Amino acid sequence: MSKTERILRRAAKEIEPGFVINLGIGLPTLVPDYLPDDFDGMIHSENGILGCGPTAKRAQARPSLIDSAGHYITLRTGSSCFDSSVSFSMIRRGRIDLCMLGAFEVDELGNLANWKIPGKLSPGIGGAMELSQKAKRLIVLSTHTDKHGRPKILERCRLPLTAPACVNRIITDEAVMDVTPDGLLVQEIAENLSPEELQNHTEAKLIFPETSLRCYQ
Amino acid sequence: MAAENVFAETFDLQTPGAFPPEQIHTPCAFVSAVIPVSRKQALCNEYELIEHYVED
């Protein structure tokens, strides 16, 4: 199983019936592929859709029906379409039950950096600033280390922040961690990985529960 | 949009998908509860709460 698949399979378990969910660009947009067909929830897209369905096949694609990442999508039964002001009212009013975003960096205070690497072209922060501050629960999906093997779970973020102290949970290919007032509490650890190995891949100091750690595949 | 809870009272409750998506003025995320009532019930104040997602 790939790192990505492990993250997505675990992330899909976070979604509860009736939830209004926003999925950020990147890894989170792949989560619906791991949801059951009878999944009872509504996926929100910032450009003004509640009830996004799976990605449209070529024959189904309608030029006027795209998600916030610009992908052609389908609609689920009961969906609604509206303008951006209504869409962002929904976010700012706290009507998004769960938001999943990717990350360049996330730290032990729950700070999130996911939009800008200085010196590199960035399309902009998009809706991430509002989503990260106003969603009832924010989960970050990310690989545990970058492509050079450097930790992405840090003591303090170094890149420009998307929002401070906004992250509730971090799901990586190596662990599931909750942001607590005392630091990052490890809730689950990937199979065949020891706590010592996990700490070695993490810059932030991790807190391990006194009881045995649950594993996930 | 601004209210903590929104209760929608209706004489005519439709199944999901009955309305074209672009004709919905208040998306379901804003609605906490739906209360179907007959016109007679509306006069008598005997409502039945059938569905709610009221926040804690």
Side-chain angles (χ1 to χ4, degrees):
Chain A
M1 186 189 307
S2 69
K3 288 181 178 182
T4 303
E5 193 175 350
R6 180 181 290 160
I7 296 168
L8 295 170
R9 281 165 59 112
R10 179 59 189 79
K13 293 178 182 172
E14 296 286 330
I15 297 175
E16 296 179 21
F19 264 16
V20 174
I21 310 136
N22 186 290
L23 301 172
I25 295 170
L27 269 181
T29 53
L30 302 174
V31 170
D33 294 343
Y34 293 82
L35 295 173
D37 292 337
D38 59 350
F39 145 71
D40 173 25
M42 284 290 193
I43 296 176
H44 170 263
S45 183
E46 297 100 287
N47 58 328
I49 302 169
L50 188 60
C52 298
T55 306
K57 296 190 174 86
R58 183 178 288 269
Q60 294 174 302
R62 286 166 51 191
S64 60
L65 189 56
I66 57 171
D67 65 12
S68 54
H71 299 134
Y72 293 118
I73 57 162
T74 55
L75 295 177
R76 287 169 55 92
T77 301
S79 62
S80 50
C81 299
F82 33 84
D83 62 33
S84 288
S85 65
V86 173
S87 181
F88 276 82
S89 297
M90 202 176 283
I91 297 168
R92 290 170 183 160
R93 184 63 188 86
R95 295 295 185 184
I96 306 297
D97 296 303
L98 173 64
C99 178
M100 292 185 178
L101 296 175
F104 295 144
E105 294 176 349
V106 59
D107 70 25
E108 62 188 21
L109 298 177
N111 297 325
L112 172 65
N114 78 347
W115 76 281
K116 179 74 174 170
I117 297 177
K120 291 195 174 179
L121 180 69
S122 164
I125 201 165
M129 190 161 40
E130 276 97 347
L131 284 164
S132 53
Q133 293 179 77
K134 294 298 184 182
K136 289 177 189 165
R137 183 166 169 78
L138 176 62
I139 297 178
V140 162
L141 308 186
S142 170
T143 52
H144 206 85
T145 54
D146 68 15
K147 60 185 177 184
H148 303 294
R150 292 178 298 220
K152 293 174 77 175
I153 317 299
L154 307 177
E155 281 182 10
R156 294 289 181 276
C157 288
R158 297 170 190 116
L159 294 171
L161 293 185
T162 305
C166 58
V167 178
N168 298 106
R169 173 166 278 192
I170 306 165
I171 298 177
T172 75
D173 50 308
E174 298 194 4
V176 177
M177 295 152 283
D178 281 344
V179 178
T180 73
D182 299 323
L184 294 178
L185 176 63
V186 180
Q187 296 287 4
E188 297 175 35
I189 190 166
E191 262 188 351
N192 304 321
L193 191 73
S194 70
E196 292 75 23
E197 287 172 311
L198 177 64
Q199 182 62 75
N200 287 341
H201 301 165
T202 313
E203 184 186 287
K205 176 73 179 157
L206 298 174
I207 303 168
F208 292 92
E210 292 177 3
T211 54
S212 61
L213 269 174
R214 279 180 296 171
C215 290
Y216 68 103
Q217 292 185 324
Chain B
M1 292 180 196
E4 188 68 33
N5 291 303
V6 176
F7 296 87
E9 181 184 293
T10 178
F11 295 129
D12 187 13
L13 183 62
Q14 299 285 326
T15 54
F19 304 128
E22 61 275 11
Q23 289 183 17
I24 294 173
H25 296 284
T26 308
C28 62
F30 290 118
V31 180
S32 316
V34 178
I35 307 170
V37 294
S38 66
R39 291 176 192 279
K40 185 180 172 187
Q41 279 178 315
L43 291 171
C44 299
N45 240 4
E46 294 173 355
Y47 297 165
E48 181 190 7
L49 189 67
I50 65 153
E51 185 178 14
H52 70 276
Y53 298 100
V54 179
E55 294 171 25
D56 294 333

mmCIF file of all heavy atoms in Angstrom, chain B residues 27 30 32 39:
data_model
loop_
_atom_site.group_PDB
_atom_site.id
_atom_site.type_symbol
_atom_site.label_atom_id
_atom_site.label_comp_id
_atom_site.label_asym_id
_atom_site.label_seq_id
_atom_site.Cartn_x
_atom_site.Cartn_y
_atom_site.Cartn_z
ATOM 1 N N PRO B 27 -29.334 26.590 1.116
ATOM 2 C CA PRO B 27 -28.785 25.227 1.132
ATOM 3 C C PRO B 27 -28.970 24.553 2.489
ATOM 4 O O PRO B 27 -29.097 25.213 3.528
ATOM 5 C CB PRO B 27 -27.300 25.444 0.836
ATOM 6 C CG PRO B 27 -27.230 26.758 0.143
ATOM 7 C CD PRO B 27 -28.317 27.594 0.761
ATOM 8 N N PHE B 30 -27.561 25.385 6.122
ATOM 9 C CA PHE B 30 -28.071 26.464 6.966
ATOM 10 C C PHE B 30 -29.302 26.042 7.779
ATOM 11 O O PHE B 30 -29.757 26.788 8.627
ATOM 12 C CB PHE B 30 -28.461 27.675 6.104
ATOM 13 C CG PHE B 30 -27.274 28.387 5.507
ATOM 14 C CD1 PHE B 30 -27.121 28.466 4.140
ATOM 15 C CD2 PHE B 30 -26.322 28.985 6.316
ATOM 16 C CE1 PHE B 30 -26.039 29.122 3.584
ATOM 17 C CE2 PHE B 30 -25.235 29.639 5.764
ATOM 18 C CZ PHE B 30 -25.084 29.705 4.397
ATOM 19 N N SER B 32 -31.333 23.794 10.386
ATOM 20 C CA SER B 32 -31.116 22.910 11.530
ATOM 21 C C SER B 32 -32.202 21.851 11.624
ATOM 22 O O SER B 32 -31.943 20.724 12.031
ATOM 23 C CB SER B 32 -31.127 23.711 12.829
ATOM 24 O OG SER B 32 -30.389 24.884 12.705
ATOM 25 N N ARG B 39 -51.901 22.631 7.142
ATOM 26 C CA ARG B 39 -52.430 23.973 7.422
ATOM 27 C C ARG B 39 -53.230 23.954 8.726
ATOM 28 O O ARG B 39 -53.228 24.897 9.503
ATOM 29 C CB ARG B 39 -53.285 24.443 6.250
ATOM 30 C CG ARG B 39 -52.435 24.718 5.023
ATOM 31 C CD ARG B 39 -53.253 25.092 3.804
ATOM 32 N NE ARG B 39 -52.405 25.064 2.620
ATOM 33 C CZ ARG B 39 -51.583 26.046 2.254
ATOM 34 N NH1 ARG B 39 -51.517 27.142 2.971
ATOM 35 N NH2 ARG B 39 -50.834 25.936 1.191
#
